[in-house]
Amino acid sequence: MAIFESTAFTRLRKSFGNLTTYRLRGLNILRGKVKDIRNPRTLEQQMQRARMKEAVRLSRGFSSALRLGFPARPATETAFNAFVRTNMEAIAVTEELEVTTDFEQILCASGTRKVPSVTVSVAADSGMVTCTVEEESGNRPDAASDDSVYLVLYESAQNTCEVYALGTRSATSGMLEQQLPDDWEAANLHAYVFVLSASKRIASDSRYVTVEMA
């Protein structure tokens, strides 16, 4: 596959010889035709498709977070594509095609900023979530004082998340108390924290935070 620009053909979408062309996100793509069609039903291919299907499903569940968390991606890649590419290794598929996700390895944000220390607890009886952020002062090359801090709560059974702004690195709200949605179960809760620069162009890798049951 190759990207090409032609003064003769600006929007070419046809085949010629053993080549075919098409448009993808405003670019002209040239690729050779497949001569030998391989069996698409091998176990390895089925496992890969199952892994991809799960990554796509998770991208929808984390959509509110990844729209913020993947700013430094290629121009031709969406935040959803970046999430899928980044998290394929966090999904395991057995030969029986059983899919398991290691949520501690999931990244709902990606970048070079440093993440402040955060603790998260939830009261099992009331569903009240408490998040405490350790404030940081001063500027460092990878941790500006005006970086915004975000908490992501993901409910695995519902495959959905909520994103909470916790203030800036040097002026956080200190503590967040938030009631879980009615249809969320505390046992299915996963928490992540990440930061985003003031320009919104640089994020941090998200950090998994173990939710303490109170």
Side-chain angles (χ1 to χ4, degrees):
M1 184 182 73
I3 300 172
F4 75 97
E5 293 293 337
S6 170
T7 56
F9 307 104
T10 57
R11 297 180 65 84
L12 194 58
R13 290 180 179 152
K14 294 185 178 181
S15 298
F16 52 93
N18 66 339
L19 300 174
T20 185
T21 63
Y22 58 96
R23 297 278 294 179
L24 178 64
R25 299 192 184 96
L27 300 174
N28 294 314
I29 307 298
L30 177 70
R31 66 183 300 174
K33 294 180 180 177
V34 178
K35 294 181 179 180
D36 299 319
I37 299 176
R38 298 180 180 178
N39 177 13
R41 300 293 295 174
T42 65
L43 177 59
E44 183 178 350
Q45 289 171 319
Q46 291 181 66
M47 291 171 67
Q48 183 65 8
R49 281 197 293 272
R51 184 177 291 107
M52 176 66 73
K53 181 178 179 180
E54 178 66 4
V56 170
R57 187 187 74 87
L58 290 171
S59 74
R60 299 189 183 109
F62 279 97
S63 60
S64 297
L66 60 88
R67 292 178 191 276
L68 292 170
F70 288 86
R73 61 183 189 274
T76 56
E77 189 175 55
T78 68
F80 290 87
N81 296 147
F83 176 91
V84 169
R85 170 178 53 78
T86 301
N87 289 291
M88 290 289 281
E89 296 301 318
I91 303 168
V93 181
T94 67
E95 292 186 354
E96 290 73 33
L97 301 183
E98 296 177 351
V99 179
T100 304
T101 299
D102 185 349
F103 285 103
E104 293 189 21
Q105 298 301 316
I106 287 290
L107 291 178
C108 56
S110 178
T112 57
R113 282 294 207 254
K114 297 297 183 182
V115 182
S117 296
V118 173
T119 59
V120 178
S121 63
V122 59
D125 54 346
S126 65
M128 181 65 71
V129 176
T130 301
C131 174
T132 304
V133 184
E134 182 179 322
E135 283 193 13
E136 299 177 351
S137 59
N139 284 301
R140 302 194 305 274
D142 53 2
S145 60
D146 58 356
D147 287 343
S148 296
V149 184
Y150 293 91
L151 171 70
V152 179
L153 297 179
Y154 172 79
E155 213 277 12
S156 58
Q158 301 293 329
N159 188 38
T160 190
C161 79
E162 296 288 345
V163 181
Y164 304 94
L166 304 179
T168 63
R169 189 186 297 272
S170 62
T172 69
S173 55
M175 178 180 291
L176 169 75
E177 291 188 339
Q178 181 68 42
Q179 188 76 35
L180 288 178
D182 292 338
D183 56 349
W184 283 29
E185 293 290 338
N188 301 327
L189 195 64
H190 299 276
Y192 305 82
V193 62
F194 69 94
V195 302
L196 191 61
S197 66
S199 67
K200 300 188 183 301
R201 295 179 180 176
I202 308 174
S204 69
D205 282 354
S206 59
R207 177 189 295 168
Y208 185 86
V209 182
T210 300
V211 178
E212 301 173 0
M213 304 300 294

